[in-house]
Amino acid sequence: MRSKRPFRSLIVCVSCAMVGCILASTAYSRRVDELEIERDIYASRFQNWQTRAIDAEENVGRLQTEVDNLTAELNAQTDLTLTYAGSFSCTAYCAEEYVHICGEGHGITSSGAKVQPGVTVAADTSILPYGTVVYIEGVGLRVVQDTGSAVVGNKLDVSVNTHAEALSWSGWGSRRVWIVSGGAEP
């Protein structure tokens, strides 16, 4: 008579293999579900980013058209001429109204105009007379309203608000300068 033991061992082995397959199948099924959820999330994000990119492109196009129209309108209204004046050494002085290294503290320029941070610049008036509008590269438009004993030759001293701002002003150094002339009268 044959022993039933090998048959039982075979059944146990097959049963264990089947349980292992079922557990692995369940784990794989769960991982597939997780990956499908991630895929859906990323697809949704992509759609959102794509919509935002299209909106941004349309906005850029609209803004560029507006800039082009305003530029054309400005060009039609003004006839400005820029004449290169050369490279100037730029420094800054403050408009604070007390006697200190930046000035006498009365707030009045040598031309008689009030010191205006963001507007006033001191220059050698034999090179740039009072009232000359200049464009200083990296600084902007300024009007020559002041002069000073240290402002000789190709030097400019730009008015800023505070003494601390004058000491830490980012415009220090050599800058290209243009004289602005022309334009429509208001």
Side-chain angles (χ1 to χ4, degrees):
M1 181 161 169
R2 286 188 173 176
S3 167
K4 291 188 174 185
R5 224 177 192 128
F7 183 67
R8 268 192 203 159
S9 295
L10 180 63
I11 289 176
V12 169
C13 284
V14 170
S15 295
C16 287
M18 286 178 62
V19 168
C21 287
I22 290 170
L23 290 175
S25 174
T26 303
Y28 290 137
S29 178
R30 197 173 315 138
R31 182 63 182 143
V32 166
D33 290 344
E34 290 171 357
L35 290 171
E36 286 176 345
I37 290 169
E38 285 182 27
R39 179 201 62 207
D40 294 344
I41 289 170
Y42 288 125
S44 176
R45 286 181 180 170
F46 171 76
Q47 183 62 40
N48 185 29
W49 293 333
Q50 191 174 33
T51 301
R52 288 174 57 191
I54 290 169
D55 290 346
E57 281 182 31
E58 290 172 356
N59 194 32
V60 166
R62 187 172 53 255
L63 290 173
Q64 185 61 51
T65 301
E66 188 175 334
V67 166
D68 293 344
N69 291 342
L70 289 172
T71 301
E73 184 179 329
L74 181 62
N75 289 337
Q77 290 180 4
T78 60
D79 185 24
L80 296 178
T81 303
L82 296 178
T83 306
Y84 184 64
S87 183
F88 283 70
S89 176
C90 294
T91 56
Y93 74 102
C94 75
E96 291 184 359
E97 294 189 20
Y98 64 91
V99 177
H100 63 295
I101 193 169
C102 287
E104 298 170 7
H106 52 69
I108 303 298
T109 65
S110 59
S111 69
K114 181 160 178 54
V115 175
Q116 299 175 65
V119 174
T120 302
V121 66
D124 183 336
T125 55
S126 68
I127 297 172
L128 300 170
Y130 291 130
T132 303
V133 177
V134 293
Y135 174 77
I136 306 168
E137 179 181 42
V139 176
L141 291 172
R142 297 296 186 269
V143 179
V144 177
Q145 296 178 322
D146 207 358
T147 191
S149 60
V151 185
V152 179
N154 281 18
K155 293 186 179 181
L156 295 175
D157 204 9
V158 178
S159 174
V160 295
N161 285 307
T162 66
H163 190 70
E165 188 180 351
L167 294 174
S168 65
W169 185 60
S170 63
W172 285 83
S174 182
R175 301 282 178 164
R176 294 185 301 174
V177 175
W178 289 264
I179 297 171
V180 181
S181 57
E185 292 296 320

